[in-house]
Amino acid sequence: MTVLQAALAAGAGPLYVSEPRAARRTLAPKCGADEVIDPAEMDPVSNIDSETNGGADVTFEVAGAEQSVAQALASARAGGTATIVSIFEDLIRIDLNNVVMPEQTVVGTAAFEGGPLSRREFGTTIRTFATGAFDPEPLVTSRIILKTSWRTGSNVSWMMTAMKSRFWSGRERRDPRKTTLLCRGIPLHNGN
């Protein structure tokens, strides 16, 4: 959903989201989606093609599945760009004629994995949260209070499994004596 907010902040629109999970379909309009497509109910490629008169200028693949890559490529217009955001667990097959014939550009980003552009991309993301261009509230599904601050040297390596996390100092949230971990849908525990 942060990719959706980034597109909105950059001035893109209209914004279409294809999402099989009901909870995320409900969240998408709160993050800026103009239209949300349930791929089990409607073909996202046909819908986007007809709504945009030939495909989107830019598409983002964020699911890490062969079908989502194929849909991202097929939803991009001739001469358009498909950005692959996901890290894949398995090899996938792509018919590269679907890239070559419409002369599309395919790019990847590995910012959250420490890729070569991560400093720039994370910096932009943090600035957009700080300026209010991104709203983190729709992304938060739970809050937990940490009993000790990571600044005191306590062991918080268990948090690294929560890849979609954001730390806020207490000055930015309710109680200035506490540090809060905001996390999107990932159960956290410290192993104790």
Side-chain angles (χ1 to χ4, degrees):
M1 293 298 155
T2 305
V3 171
L4 179 57
Q5 287 193 1
L8 183 66
L15 301 174
Y16 301 89
V17 172
S18 173
E19 175 58 57
R21 293 178 48 207
R24 292 179 62 83
R25 283 195 308 274
T26 302
L27 179 60
K30 297 174 187 173
C31 293
D34 294 300
E35 184 173 340
V36 182
I37 302 161
D38 179 350
E41 302 288 325
M42 176 187 307
D43 176 29
V45 175
S46 297
N47 185 65
I48 292 169
D49 186 63
S50 66
E51 292 286 324
T52 60
N53 202 17
D57 293 330
V58 179
T59 62
F60 292 87
E61 188 288 324
V62 296
E66 186 170 324
Q67 182 179 5
S68 62
V69 173
Q71 290 174 346
L73 294 172
S75 296
R77 68 169 173 76
T81 300
T83 301
I84 310 300
V85 179
S86 297
I87 301 296
F88 295 81
E89 293 181 17
D90 299 311
L91 293 177
I92 64 167
R93 295 176 57 115
I94 300 173
D95 182 351
L96 290 177
N97 288 327
N98 294 333
V99 174
V100 174
M101 299 308 285
E103 298 183 335
Q104 293 175 334
T105 301
V106 178
V107 295
T109 177
F112 71 93
E113 288 287 326
L117 303 178
S118 62
R119 177 177 282 264
R120 181 185 76 195
E121 291 174 354
F122 270 129
T124 299
T125 301
I126 290 167
R127 278 190 302 281
T128 53
F129 275 119
T131 63
F134 284 6
D135 179 11
E137 284 304 314
L139 307 175
V140 176
T141 58
S142 61
R143 287 181 170 87
I144 61 171
I145 303 299
L146 300 177
K147 293 182 181 182
T148 58
S149 171
W150 69 335
R151 292 182 192 168
T152 64
S154 59
N155 183 2
V156 292
S157 60
W158 58 271
M159 287 182 220
M160 300 312 291
T161 60
M163 291 174 42
K164 294 185 178 180
S165 311
R166 172 136 164 97
F167 293 92
W168 297 84
S169 72
R171 286 174 272 135
E172 299 168 85
R173 294 282 187 238
R174 299 181 182 109
D175 187 341
R177 295 164 293 162
K178 297 175 183 167
T179 301
T180 304
L181 171 66
L182 299 138
C183 182
R184 187 198 120 337
I186 301 171
L188 297 176
H189 57 85
N190 64 6
N192 295 331

PDB file of all heavy atoms in Angstrom, residues 147-183:
ATOM      1  N   LYS A 147       8.732  -2.923  26.113  1.00  0.00           N
ATOM      2  CA  LYS A 147       9.052  -2.727  27.524  1.00  0.00           C
ATOM      3  C   LYS A 147      10.399  -2.052  27.711  1.00  0.00           C
ATOM      4  O   LYS A 147      10.627  -1.377  28.687  1.00  0.00           O
ATOM      5  CB  LYS A 147       9.008  -4.051  28.264  1.00  0.00           C
ATOM      6  CG  LYS A 147       7.603  -4.612  28.333  1.00  0.00           C
ATOM      7  CD  LYS A 147       7.553  -5.895  29.105  1.00  0.00           C
ATOM      8  CE  LYS A 147       6.117  -6.386  29.087  1.00  0.00           C
ATOM      9  NZ  LYS A 147       5.939  -7.582  29.839  1.00  0.00           N
ATOM     10  N   THR A 148      11.308  -2.247  26.755  1.00  0.00           N
ATOM     11  CA  THR A 148      12.600  -1.583  26.830  1.00  0.00           C
ATOM     12  C   THR A 148      12.900  -0.954  25.485  1.00  0.00           C
ATOM     13  O   THR A 148      12.479  -1.436  24.442  1.00  0.00           O
ATOM     14  CB  THR A 148      13.730  -2.567  27.178  1.00  0.00           C
ATOM     15  OG1 THR A 148      13.756  -3.592  26.199  1.00  0.00           O
ATOM     16  CG2 THR A 148      13.551  -3.155  28.560  1.00  0.00           C
ATOM     17  N   SER A 149      13.626   0.102  25.530  1.00  0.00           N
ATOM     18  CA  SER A 149      13.964   0.817  24.305  1.00  0.00           C
ATOM     19  C   SER A 149      15.151   0.154  23.627  1.00  0.00           C
ATOM     20  O   SER A 149      16.088  -0.276  24.304  1.00  0.00           O
ATOM     21  CB  SER A 149      14.302   2.267  24.635  1.00  0.00           C
ATOM     22  OG  SER A 149      14.838   2.910  23.502  1.00  0.00           O
ATOM     23  N   TRP A 150      15.147   0.125  22.319  1.00  0.00           N
ATOM     24  CA  TRP A 150      16.287  -0.442  21.609  1.00  0.00           C
ATOM     25  C   TRP A 150      17.498   0.464  21.751  1.00  0.00           C
ATOM     26  O   TRP A 150      18.617   0.069  21.571  1.00  0.00           O
ATOM     27  CB  TRP A 150      15.941  -0.771  20.184  1.00  0.00           C
ATOM     28  CG  TRP A 150      15.703   0.388  19.272  1.00  0.00           C
ATOM     29  CD1 TRP A 150      15.307   1.650  19.586  1.00  0.00           C
ATOM     30  CD2 TRP A 150      15.845   0.384  17.865  1.00  0.00           C
ATOM     31  NE1 TRP A 150      15.188   2.405  18.474  1.00  0.00           N
ATOM     32  CE2 TRP A 150      15.501   1.664  17.388  1.00  0.00           C
ATOM     33  CE3 TRP A 150      16.213  -0.580  16.946  1.00  0.00           C
ATOM     34  CZ2 TRP A 150      15.531   1.998  16.050  1.00  0.00           C
ATOM     35  CZ3 TRP A 150      16.233  -0.241  15.609  1.00  0.00           C
ATOM     36  CH2 TRP A 150      15.895   1.035  15.174  1.00  0.00           C
ATOM     37  N   ARG A 151      17.295   1.729  22.134  1.00  0.00           N
ATOM     38  CA  ARG A 151      18.413   2.651  22.325  1.00  0.00           C
ATOM     39  C   ARG A 151      19.233   2.289  23.560  1.00  0.00           C
ATOM     40  O   ARG A 151      20.372   2.708  23.686  1.00  0.00           O
ATOM     41  CB  ARG A 151      17.889   4.080  22.452  1.00  0.00           C
ATOM     42  CG  ARG A 151      17.306   4.589  21.165  1.00  0.00           C
ATOM     43  CD  ARG A 151      16.850   6.011  21.328  1.00  0.00           C
ATOM     44  NE  ARG A 151      16.039   6.360  20.159  1.00  0.00           N
ATOM     45  CZ  ARG A 151      15.308   7.427  20.081  1.00  0.00           C
ATOM     46  NH1 ARG A 151      15.259   8.281  21.083  1.00  0.00           N
ATOM     47  NH2 ARG A 151      14.608   7.675  19.002  1.00  0.00           N
ATOM     48  N   THR A 152      18.650   1.546  24.492  1.00  0.00           N
ATOM     49  CA  THR A 152      19.366   1.178  25.720  1.00  0.00           C
ATOM     50  C   THR A 152      20.232  -0.047  25.512  1.00  0.00           C
ATOM     51  O   THR A 152      20.886  -0.503  26.436  1.00  0.00           O
ATOM     52  CB  THR A 152      18.374   0.903  26.870  1.00  0.00           C
ATOM     53  OG1 THR A 152      17.586  -0.240  26.526  1.00  0.00           O
ATOM     54  CG2 THR A 152      17.514   2.103  27.159  1.00  0.00           C
ATOM     55  N   GLY A 153      20.229  -0.599  24.326  1.00  0.00           N
ATOM     56  CA  GLY A 153      21.061  -1.754  24.041  1.00  0.00           C
ATOM     57  C   GLY A 153      20.368  -3.074  24.287  1.00  0.00           C
ATOM     58  O   GLY A 153      20.990  -4.119  24.228  1.00  0.00           O
ATOM     59  N   SER A 154      19.078  -3.043  24.554  1.00  0.00           N
ATOM     60  CA  SER A 154      18.372  -4.304  24.762  1.00  0.00           C
ATOM     61  C   SER A 154      18.289  -5.067  23.451  1.00  0.00           C
ATOM     62  O   SER A 154      18.353  -4.498  22.378  1.00  0.00           O
ATOM     63  CB  SER A 154      16.981  -4.040  25.328  1.00  0.00           C
ATOM     64  OG  SER A 154      16.251  -3.234  24.443  1.00  0.00           O
ATOM     65  N   ASN A 155      18.154  -6.373  23.543  1.00  0.00           N
ATOM     66  CA  ASN A 155      18.140  -7.216  22.362  1.00  0.00           C
ATOM     67  C   ASN A 155      16.766  -7.178  21.706  1.00  0.00           C
ATOM     68  O   ASN A 155      15.794  -7.665  22.255  1.00  0.00           O
ATOM     69  CB  ASN A 155      18.508  -8.652  22.744  1.00  0.00           C
ATOM     70  CG  ASN A 155      18.575  -9.558  21.539  1.00  0.00           C
ATOM     71  OD1 ASN A 155      18.377  -9.114  20.412  1.00  0.00           O
ATOM     72  ND2 ASN A 155      18.855 -10.807  21.765  1.00  0.00           N
ATOM     73  N   VAL A 156      16.686  -6.571  20.525  1.00  0.00           N
ATOM     74  CA  VAL A 156      15.428  -6.525  19.796  1.00  0.00           C
ATOM     75  C   VAL A 156      15.586  -7.162  18.415  1.00  0.00           C
ATOM     76  O   VAL A 156      14.877  -6.833  17.491  1.00  0.00           O
ATOM     77  CB  VAL A 156      14.889  -5.079  19.657  1.00  0.00           C
ATOM     78  CG1 VAL A 156      14.464  -4.531  20.990  1.00  0.00           C
ATOM     79  CG2 VAL A 156      15.919  -4.188  18.983  1.00  0.00           C
ATOM     80  N   SER A 157      16.522  -8.104  18.316  1.00  0.00           N
ATOM     81  CA  SER A 157      16.739  -8.738  17.012  1.00  0.00           C
ATOM     82  C   SER A 157      15.494  -9.465  16.528  1.00  0.00           C
ATOM     83  O   SER A 157      15.306  -9.643  15.333  1.00  0.00           O
ATOM     84  CB  SER A 157      17.914  -9.702  17.073  1.00  0.00           C
ATOM     85  OG  SER A 157      17.665 -10.716  18.019  1.00  0.00           O
ATOM     86  N   TRP A 158      14.624  -9.863  17.449  1.00  0.00           N
ATOM     87  CA  TRP A 158      13.383 -10.534  17.069  1.00  0.00           C
ATOM     88  C   TRP A 158      12.521  -9.643  16.188  1.00  0.00           C
ATOM     89  O   TRP A 158      11.722 -10.119  15.416  1.00  0.00           O
ATOM     90  CB  TRP A 158      12.603 -10.974  18.302  1.00  0.00           C
ATOM     91  CG  TRP A 158      12.253  -9.851  19.235  1.00  0.00           C
ATOM     92  CD1 TRP A 158      13.014  -9.392  20.271  1.00  0.00           C
ATOM     93  CD2 TRP A 158      11.083  -9.035  19.212  1.00  0.00           C
ATOM     94  NE1 TRP A 158      12.388  -8.341  20.891  1.00  0.00           N
ATOM     95  CE2 TRP A 158      11.204  -8.110  20.273  1.00  0.00           C
ATOM     96  CE3 TRP A 158       9.947  -9.011  18.412  1.00  0.00           C
ATOM     97  CZ2 TRP A 158      10.232  -7.163  20.536  1.00  0.00           C
ATOM     98  CZ3 TRP A 158       8.980  -8.062  18.686  1.00  0.00           C
ATOM     99  CH2 TRP A 158       9.130  -7.152  19.733  1.00  0.00           C
ATOM    100  N   MET A 159      12.692  -8.340  16.284  1.00  0.00           N
ATOM    101  CA  MET A 159      11.876  -7.439  15.485  1.00  0.00           C
ATOM    102  C   MET A 159      12.242  -7.471  14.006  1.00  0.00           C
ATOM    103  O   MET A 159      11.470  -7.053  13.175  1.00  0.00           O
ATOM    104  CB  MET A 159      11.995  -6.016  16.000  1.00  0.00           C
ATOM    105  CG  MET A 159      11.282  -5.807  17.298  1.00  0.00           C
ATOM    106  SD  MET A 159      11.451  -4.115  17.747  1.00  0.00           S
ATOM    107  CE  MET A 159      11.703  -4.303  19.482  1.00  0.00           C
ATOM    108  N   MET A 160      13.428  -7.932  13.718  1.00  0.00           N
ATOM    109  CA  MET A 160      13.863  -7.940  12.325  1.00  0.00           C
ATOM    110  C   MET A 160      12.980  -8.842  11.464  1.00  0.00           C
ATOM    111  O   MET A 160      12.941  -8.696  10.263  1.00  0.00           O
ATOM    112  CB  MET A 160      15.323  -8.355  12.223  1.00  0.00           C
ATOM    113  CG  MET A 160      16.276  -7.422  12.971  1.00  0.00           C
ATOM    114  SD  MET A 160      15.995  -5.664  12.625  1.00  0.00           S
ATOM    115  CE  MET A 160      16.540  -5.586  10.946  1.00  0.00           C
ATOM    116  N   THR A 161      12.263  -9.774  12.077  1.00  0.00           N
ATOM    117  CA  THR A 161      11.354 -10.605  11.296  1.00  0.00           C
ATOM    118  C   THR A 161      10.120  -9.826  10.856  1.00  0.00           C
ATOM    119  O   THR A 161       9.407 -10.248   9.966  1.00  0.00           O
ATOM    120  CB  THR A 161      10.897 -11.839  12.104  1.00  0.00           C
ATOM    121  OG1 THR A 161      10.224 -11.401  13.269  1.00  0.00           O
ATOM    122  CG2 THR A 161      12.081 -12.708  12.480  1.00  0.00           C
ATOM    123  N   ALA A 162       9.879  -8.698  11.459  1.00  0.00           N
ATOM    124  CA  ALA A 162       8.736  -7.863  11.092  1.00  0.00           C
ATOM    125  C   ALA A 162       9.182  -6.899  10.007  1.00  0.00           C
ATOM    126  O   ALA A 162       9.525  -5.770  10.258  1.00  0.00           O
ATOM    127  CB  ALA A 162       8.219  -7.101  12.306  1.00  0.00           C
ATOM    128  N   MET A 163       9.220  -7.366   8.786  1.00  0.00           N
ATOM    129  CA  MET A 163       9.782  -6.586   7.700  1.00  0.00           C
ATOM    130  C   MET A 163       8.999  -5.322   7.400  1.00  0.00           C
ATOM    131  O   MET A 163       9.555  -4.362   6.902  1.00  0.00           O
ATOM    132  CB  MET A 163       9.904  -7.444   6.451  1.00  0.00           C
ATOM    133  CG  MET A 163      10.966  -8.509   6.609  1.00  0.00           C
ATOM    134  SD  MET A 163      11.077  -9.689   5.265  1.00  0.00           S
ATOM    135  CE  MET A 163      10.897  -8.711   3.831  1.00  0.00           C
ATOM    136  N   LYS A 164       7.709  -5.312   7.682  1.00  0.00           N
ATOM    137  CA  LYS A 164       6.920  -4.122   7.394  1.00  0.00           C
ATOM    138  C   LYS A 164       6.628  -3.421   8.717  1.00  0.00           C
ATOM    139  O   LYS A 164       5.515  -3.426   9.200  1.00  0.00           O
ATOM    140  CB  LYS A 164       5.648  -4.483   6.657  1.00  0.00           C
ATOM    141  CG  LYS A 164       5.934  -5.029   5.284  1.00  0.00           C
ATOM    142  CD  LYS A 164       4.686  -5.281   4.510  1.00  0.00           C
ATOM    143  CE  LYS A 164       5.037  -5.781   3.132  1.00  0.00           C
ATOM    144  NZ  LYS A 164       3.866  -6.043   2.337  1.00  0.00           N
ATOM    145  N   SER A 165       7.661  -2.850   9.295  1.00  0.00           N
ATOM    146  CA  SER A 165       7.550  -2.217  10.604  1.00  0.00           C
ATOM    147  C   SER A 165       8.016  -0.780  10.508  1.00  0.00           C
ATOM    148  O   SER A 165       8.797  -0.431   9.649  1.00  0.00           O
ATOM    149  CB  SER A 165       8.441  -2.905  11.636  1.00  0.00           C
ATOM    150  OG  SER A 165       8.280  -4.260  11.623  1.00  0.00           O
ATOM    151  N   ARG A 166       7.565  -0.002  11.445  1.00  0.00           N
ATOM    152  CA  ARG A 166       8.039   1.366  11.538  1.00  0.00           C
ATOM    153  C   ARG A 166       8.118   1.716  13.006  1.00  0.00           C
ATOM    154  O   ARG A 166       7.191   1.469  13.757  1.00  0.00           O
ATOM    155  CB  ARG A 166       7.082   2.307  10.824  1.00  0.00           C
ATOM    156  CG  ARG A 166       7.438   3.765  11.054  1.00  0.00           C
ATOM    157  CD  ARG A 166       7.360   4.524   9.770  1.00  0.00           C
ATOM    158  NE  ARG A 166       7.325   5.927  10.030  1.00  0.00           N
ATOM    159  CZ  ARG A 166       8.387   6.713   9.996  1.00  0.00           C
ATOM    160  NH1 ARG A 166       9.559   6.220   9.732  1.00  0.00           N
ATOM    161  NH2 ARG A 166       8.286   7.991  10.222  1.00  0.00           N
ATOM    162  N   PHE A 167       9.216   2.294  13.432  1.00  0.00           N
ATOM    163  CA  PHE A 167       9.384   2.717  14.809  1.00  0.00           C
ATOM    164  C   PHE A 167       9.086   4.200  14.917  1.00  0.00           C
ATOM    165  O   PHE A 167       9.494   4.979  14.073  1.00  0.00           O
ATOM    166  CB  PHE A 167      10.824   2.458  15.289  1.00  0.00           C
ATOM    167  CG  PHE A 167      11.156   1.015  15.384  1.00  0.00           C
ATOM    168  CD1 PHE A 167      11.721   0.345  14.325  1.00  0.00           C
ATOM    169  CD2 PHE A 167      10.865   0.320  16.541  1.00  0.00           C
ATOM    170  CE1 PHE A 167      12.021  -0.997  14.407  1.00  0.00           C
ATOM    171  CE2 PHE A 167      11.161  -1.025  16.634  1.00  0.00           C
ATOM    172  CZ  PHE A 167      11.740  -1.679  15.569  1.00  0.00           C
ATOM    173  N   TRP A 168       8.387   4.534  15.948  1.00  0.00           N
ATOM    174  CA  TRP A 168       8.114   5.944  16.239  1.00  0.00           C
ATOM    175  C   TRP A 168       8.626   6.210  17.642  1.00  0.00           C
ATOM    176  O   TRP A 168       8.463   5.401  18.539  1.00  0.00           O
ATOM    177  CB  TRP A 168       6.609   6.222  16.247  1.00  0.00           C
ATOM    178  CG  TRP A 168       5.944   6.000  14.956  1.00  0.00           C
ATOM    179  CD1 TRP A 168       5.474   4.814  14.463  1.00  0.00           C
ATOM    180  CD2 TRP A 168       5.651   6.961  13.968  1.00  0.00           C
ATOM    181  NE1 TRP A 168       4.910   4.996  13.244  1.00  0.00           N
ATOM    182  CE2 TRP A 168       5.006   6.302  12.919  1.00  0.00           C
ATOM    183  CE3 TRP A 168       5.863   8.334  13.880  1.00  0.00           C
ATOM    184  CZ2 TRP A 168       4.569   6.971  11.785  1.00  0.00           C
ATOM    185  CZ3 TRP A 168       5.430   8.987  12.746  1.00  0.00           C
ATOM    186  CH2 TRP A 168       4.805   8.302  11.721  1.00  0.00           C
ATOM    187  N   SER A 169       9.217   7.346  17.839  1.00  0.00           N
ATOM    188  CA  SER A 169       9.593   7.702  19.211  1.00  0.00           C
ATOM    189  C   SER A 169       8.333   8.121  19.947  1.00  0.00           C
ATOM    190  O   SER A 169       7.357   8.539  19.343  1.00  0.00           O
ATOM    191  CB  SER A 169      10.605   8.849  19.207  1.00  0.00           C
ATOM    192  OG  SER A 169       9.960  10.049  18.836  1.00  0.00           O
ATOM    193  N   GLY A 170       8.352   8.015  21.248  1.00  0.00           N
ATOM    194  CA  GLY A 170       7.202   8.380  22.055  1.00  0.00           C
ATOM    195  C   GLY A 170       6.790   9.823  21.865  1.00  0.00           C
ATOM    196  O   GLY A 170       5.648  10.181  22.093  1.00  0.00           O
ATOM    197  N   ARG A 171       7.717  10.691  21.446  1.00  0.00           N
ATOM    198  CA  ARG A 171       7.376  12.090  21.230  1.00  0.00           C
ATOM    199  C   ARG A 171       6.331  12.256  20.140  1.00  0.00           C
ATOM    200  O   ARG A 171       5.605  13.235  20.121  1.00  0.00           O
ATOM    201  CB  ARG A 171       8.631  12.889  20.869  1.00  0.00           C
ATOM    202  CG  ARG A 171       9.533  13.122  22.075  1.00  0.00           C
ATOM    203  CD  ARG A 171      10.822  13.781  21.666  1.00  0.00           C
ATOM    204  NE  ARG A 171      11.731  12.693  21.308  1.00  0.00           N
ATOM    205  CZ  ARG A 171      12.494  12.690  20.223  1.00  0.00           C
ATOM    206  NH1 ARG A 171      12.494  13.687  19.394  1.00  0.00           N
ATOM    207  NH2 ARG A 171      13.274  11.672  19.973  1.00  0.00           N
ATOM    208  N   GLU A 172       6.267  11.308  19.232  1.00  0.00           N
ATOM    209  CA  GLU A 172       5.318  11.405  18.132  1.00  0.00           C
ATOM    210  C   GLU A 172       4.004  10.697  18.414  1.00  0.00           C
ATOM    211  O   GLU A 172       3.060  10.854  17.676  1.00  0.00           O
ATOM    212  CB  GLU A 172       5.942  10.792  16.872  1.00  0.00           C
ATOM    213  CG  GLU A 172       7.201  11.517  16.453  1.00  0.00           C
ATOM    214  CD  GLU A 172       7.945  10.744  15.412  1.00  0.00           C
ATOM    215  OE1 GLU A 172       7.617  10.891  14.239  1.00  0.00           O
ATOM    216  OE2 GLU A 172       8.847   9.982  15.784  1.00  0.00           O
ATOM    217  N   ARG A 173       3.938   9.924  19.453  1.00  0.00           N
ATOM    218  CA  ARG A 173       2.743   9.168  19.786  1.00  0.00           C
ATOM    219  C   ARG A 173       2.484   9.249  21.274  1.00  0.00           C
ATOM    220  O   ARG A 173       3.413   9.228  22.063  1.00  0.00           O
ATOM    221  CB  ARG A 173       2.876   7.690  19.385  1.00  0.00           C
ATOM    222  CG  ARG A 173       2.962   7.482  17.905  1.00  0.00           C
ATOM    223  CD  ARG A 173       1.577   7.591  17.313  1.00  0.00           C
ATOM    224  NE  ARG A 173       1.613   7.245  15.922  1.00  0.00           N
ATOM    225  CZ  ARG A 173       1.226   8.047  14.950  1.00  0.00           C
ATOM    226  NH1 ARG A 173       0.740   9.220  15.189  1.00  0.00           N
ATOM    227  NH2 ARG A 173       1.292   7.652  13.711  1.00  0.00           N
ATOM    228  N   ARG A 174       1.299   9.319  21.672  1.00  0.00           N
ATOM    229  CA  ARG A 174       0.733   9.328  23.017  1.00  0.00           C
ATOM    230  C   ARG A 174       1.702   9.538  24.178  1.00  0.00           C
ATOM    231  O   ARG A 174       1.795  10.607  24.724  1.00  0.00           O
ATOM    232  CB  ARG A 174      -0.078   8.071  23.226  1.00  0.00           C
ATOM    233  CG  ARG A 174      -1.214   7.991  22.243  1.00  0.00           C
ATOM    234  CD  ARG A 174      -2.037   6.753  22.484  1.00  0.00           C
ATOM    235  NE  ARG A 174      -3.077   6.681  21.494  1.00  0.00           N
ATOM    236  CZ  ARG A 174      -3.112   5.811  20.522  1.00  0.00           C
ATOM    237  NH1 ARG A 174      -2.179   4.900  20.432  1.00  0.00           N
ATOM    238  NH2 ARG A 174      -4.088   5.832  19.656  1.00  0.00           N
ATOM    239  N   ASP A 175       2.401   8.522  24.633  1.00  0.00           N
ATOM    240  CA  ASP A 175       3.182   8.586  25.850  1.00  0.00           C
ATOM    241  C   ASP A 175       4.660   8.807  25.531  1.00  0.00           C
ATOM    242  O   ASP A 175       5.290   7.959  24.918  1.00  0.00           O
ATOM    243  CB  ASP A 175       3.012   7.280  26.630  1.00  0.00           C
ATOM    244  CG  ASP A 175       3.653   7.339  27.999  1.00  0.00           C
ATOM    245  OD1 ASP A 175       4.528   8.192  28.259  1.00  0.00           O
ATOM    246  OD2 ASP A 175       3.260   6.515  28.833  1.00  0.00           O
ATOM    247  N   PRO A 176       5.231   9.931  25.931  1.00  0.00           N
ATOM    248  CA  PRO A 176       6.619  10.230  25.571  1.00  0.00           C
ATOM    249  C   PRO A 176       7.634   9.312  26.235  1.00  0.00           C
ATOM    250  O   PRO A 176       8.791   9.334  25.891  1.00  0.00           O
ATOM    251  CB  PRO A 176       6.798  11.677  26.037  1.00  0.00           C
ATOM    252  CG  PRO A 176       5.761  11.894  27.062  1.00  0.00           C
ATOM    253  CD  PRO A 176       4.616  10.985  26.697  1.00  0.00           C
ATOM    254  N   ARG A 177       7.235   8.479  27.203  1.00  0.00           N
ATOM    255  CA  ARG A 177       8.174   7.584  27.862  1.00  0.00           C
ATOM    256  C   ARG A 177       8.270   6.231  27.189  1.00  0.00           C
ATOM    257  O   ARG A 177       9.035   5.381  27.602  1.00  0.00           O
ATOM    258  CB  ARG A 177       7.762   7.384  29.326  1.00  0.00           C
ATOM    259  CG  ARG A 177       7.849   8.681  30.132  1.00  0.00           C
ATOM    260  CD  ARG A 177       7.101   8.553  31.408  1.00  0.00           C
ATOM    261  NE  ARG A 177       5.682   8.445  31.046  1.00  0.00           N
ATOM    262  CZ  ARG A 177       4.734   7.990  31.845  1.00  0.00           C
ATOM    263  NH1 ARG A 177       5.016   7.603  33.042  1.00  0.00           N
ATOM    264  NH2 ARG A 177       3.488   7.929  31.447  1.00  0.00           N
ATOM    265  N   LYS A 178       7.471   5.988  26.168  1.00  0.00           N
ATOM    266  CA  LYS A 178       7.418   4.670  25.551  1.00  0.00           C
ATOM    267  C   LYS A 178       7.795   4.745  24.079  1.00  0.00           C
ATOM    268  O   LYS A 178       7.597   5.755  23.427  1.00  0.00           O
ATOM    269  CB  LYS A 178       6.008   4.087  25.683  1.00  0.00           C
ATOM    270  CG  LYS A 178       5.603   3.879  27.120  1.00  0.00           C
ATOM    271  CD  LYS A 178       4.181   3.422  27.208  1.00  0.00           C
ATOM    272  CE  LYS A 178       3.781   3.290  28.663  1.00  0.00           C
ATOM    273  NZ  LYS A 178       2.354   3.147  28.810  1.00  0.00           N
ATOM    274  N   THR A 179       8.315   3.668  23.576  1.00  0.00           N
ATOM    275  CA  THR A 179       8.562   3.528  22.155  1.00  0.00           C
ATOM    276  C   THR A 179       7.533   2.558  21.621  1.00  0.00           C
ATOM    277  O   THR A 179       7.284   1.519  22.219  1.00  0.00           O
ATOM    278  CB  THR A 179       9.983   2.989  21.888  1.00  0.00           C
ATOM    279  OG1 THR A 179      10.911   3.902  22.453  1.00  0.00           O
ATOM    280  CG2 THR A 179      10.237   2.851  20.406  1.00  0.00           C
ATOM    281  N   THR A 180       6.930   2.894  20.528  1.00  0.00           N
ATOM    282  CA  THR A 180       5.867   2.071  19.972  1.00  0.00           C
ATOM    283  C   THR A 180       6.317   1.476  18.646  1.00  0.00           C
ATOM    284  O   THR A 180       6.934   2.153  17.838  1.00  0.00           O
ATOM    285  CB  THR A 180       4.605   2.930  19.734  1.00  0.00           C
ATOM    286  OG1 THR A 180       4.246   3.539  20.964  1.00  0.00           O
ATOM    287  CG2 THR A 180       3.458   2.083  19.225  1.00  0.00           C
ATOM    288  N   LEU A 181       6.004   0.224  18.457  1.00  0.00           N
ATOM    289  CA  LEU A 181       6.253  -0.446  17.192  1.00  0.00           C
ATOM    290  C   LEU A 181       4.926  -0.542  16.461  1.00  0.00           C
ATOM    291  O   LEU A 181       3.964  -1.079  16.988  1.00  0.00           O
ATOM    292  CB  LEU A 181       6.822  -1.847  17.420  1.00  0.00           C
ATOM    293  CG  LEU A 181       6.929  -2.756  16.199  1.00  0.00           C
ATOM    294  CD1 LEU A 181       7.951  -2.195  15.230  1.00  0.00           C
ATOM    295  CD2 LEU A 181       7.305  -4.153  16.608  1.00  0.00           C
ATOM    296  N   LEU A 182       4.883   0.010  15.277  1.00  0.00           N
ATOM    297  CA  LEU A 182       3.693  -0.094  14.449  1.00  0.00           C
ATOM    298  C   LEU A 182       3.967  -1.175  13.418  1.00  0.00           C
ATOM    299  O   LEU A 182       5.005  -1.152  12.761  1.00  0.00           O
ATOM    300  CB  LEU A 182       3.416   1.238  13.750  1.00  0.00           C
ATOM    301  CG  LEU A 182       3.174   2.375  14.719  1.00  0.00           C
ATOM    302  CD1 LEU A 182       3.872   3.614  14.251  1.00  0.00           C
ATOM    303  CD2 LEU A 182       1.700   2.597  14.868  1.00  0.00           C
ATOM    304  N   CYS A 183       3.070  -2.084  13.266  1.00  0.00           N
ATOM    305  CA  CYS A 183       3.332  -3.226  12.412  1.00  0.00           C
ATOM    306  C   CYS A 183       2.107  -3.592  11.608  1.00  0.00           C
ATOM    307  O   CYS A 183       1.000  -3.571  12.116  1.00  0.00           O
ATOM    308  CB  CYS A 183       3.750  -4.408  13.279  1.00  0.00           C
ATOM    309  SG  CYS A 183       4.152  -5.845  12.325  1.00  0.00           S
TER     310      CYS A 183
END
